[in-house]
Amino acid sequence: RVLFRSIYMSLERTSSISMFLILRSSRIYVPLIIILPIVFFFQKFIPGSPFYEDTSVISFFLSLFMIPPNLVNWIFETNIQWLSLVLWSLKVEIIFYVLAGFLFYRFNKNYFLASLSTLSAIQSLLQISNKFIQNDLLLFMTTSYRRFEFQHFFWFVLGIYLYKYSKIGRAHV
C-alpha cells in the first residue's frame, strides 16, 4: 500500500511530469547504480558462476538503462539477457511512471484513473478474447500491450483506488 500511495502522492505533490519522473526514477536508479556493478563483477569474474556466459558489457548496459532484452533480441536477432531476472519488475514500474505522469499532467487529473482503468480493462479483454477468437489483429494488439507490460498495470490501478478510498475514509472520520 505504501508503494501505491507514494506514486499517487508524488503525482499530486509534484508540479510537472519531469519532476515526477526525476523523483520516481531516483528511487529506482540510486540503488540500481550501486547493485548492478556488484552483480556484474560476481557473475563475470567469480569462477563457476552459472551466469558467466550471459554476462556481458551489453547486458550490463541493457540492465542499467532498463532496455528490454526481448526488444533488442527481436530487433537484432540476438540472445542477450539482463544481469538479473528481477529487473523486469523495475521495468514495469518505469513504464508505469512514464504513462502515469503523461496521463496525470497532460489530461485533467480527474481523467487519470479512468484512463488507467480503461487501459487495464482493454488488456484484460484482449487477453480473454485472444483465448477464444483467432484473429491476427487481436494477436498483434495483445502482443503489443504485453510488450509495454500493461498486463501488470491492474495492480498499480488497484493500489491507487485503495489509496484514494482510504483517503476518503479518513476524511469522513
Side-chain angles (χ1 to χ4, degrees):
R1 179 179 153 182
V2 172
L3 171 68
F4 300 118
R5 181 178 65 200
S6 64
I7 291 171
Y8 195 77
M9 281 175 39
S10 293
L11 285 165
E12 287 182 320
R13 293 180 179 177
T14 53
S15 58
S16 69
I17 187 172
S18 57
M19 191 53 140
F20 169 73
L21 291 175
I22 288 169
L23 288 173
R24 300 312 300 170
S25 296
S26 65
R27 186 185 115 351
I28 291 174
Y29 275 103
V30 170
L32 196 63
I33 289 170
I34 295 167
I35 296 293
L36 277 180
I38 295 168
V39 170
F40 178 81
F41 175 80
F42 276 96
Q43 289 183 180
K44 192 67 178 172
F45 300 109
I46 299 298
S49 169
F51 304 104
Y52 174 80
E53 290 183 20
D54 292 335
T55 304
S56 67
V57 173
I58 294 171
S59 65
F60 174 78
F61 282 107
L62 288 178
S63 299
L64 182 63
F65 294 110
M66 297 300 209
I67 299 169
N70 61 347
L71 182 63
V72 173
N73 293 335
W74 177 63
I75 293 170
F76 298 108
E77 296 182 9
T78 59
N79 189 21
I80 298 170
Q81 301 301 318
W82 275 336
L83 291 181
S84 173
L85 293 176
V86 298
L87 293 174
W88 76 268
S89 65
L90 297 178
K91 175 186 74 164
V92 170
E93 275 191 67
I94 289 173
I95 291 170
F96 181 79
Y97 294 159
V98 171
L99 181 65
F102 173 77
L103 291 173
F104 190 85
Y105 292 105
R106 176 66 178 103
F107 302 106
N108 184 316
K109 76 177 187 177
N110 294 328
Y111 298 113
F112 169 71
L113 271 175
S115 302
L116 284 177
S117 299
T118 301
L119 283 173
S120 188
I122 288 171
Q123 168 58 32
S124 298
L125 289 172
L126 284 171
Q127 286 295 119
I128 293 167
S129 299
N130 206 28
K131 300 280 185 206
F132 300 105
I133 302 169
Q134 301 301 316
N135 180 301
D136 290 340
L137 178 60
L138 194 57
L139 180 62
F140 173 76
M141 290 175 63
T142 304
T143 304
S144 299
Y145 262 69
R146 288 187 69 81
R147 286 198 196 283
F148 288 102
E149 306 291 350
F150 288 160
Q151 72 270 22
H152 303 291
F153 285 10
F154 167 79
W155 300 109
F156 290 100
V157 173
L158 177 63
I160 291 171
Y161 274 111
L162 290 173
Y163 165 69
K164 289 185 77 62
Y165 177 75
S166 70
K167 199 170 151 180
I168 291 169
R170 284 193 308 262
H172 293 293
V173 175

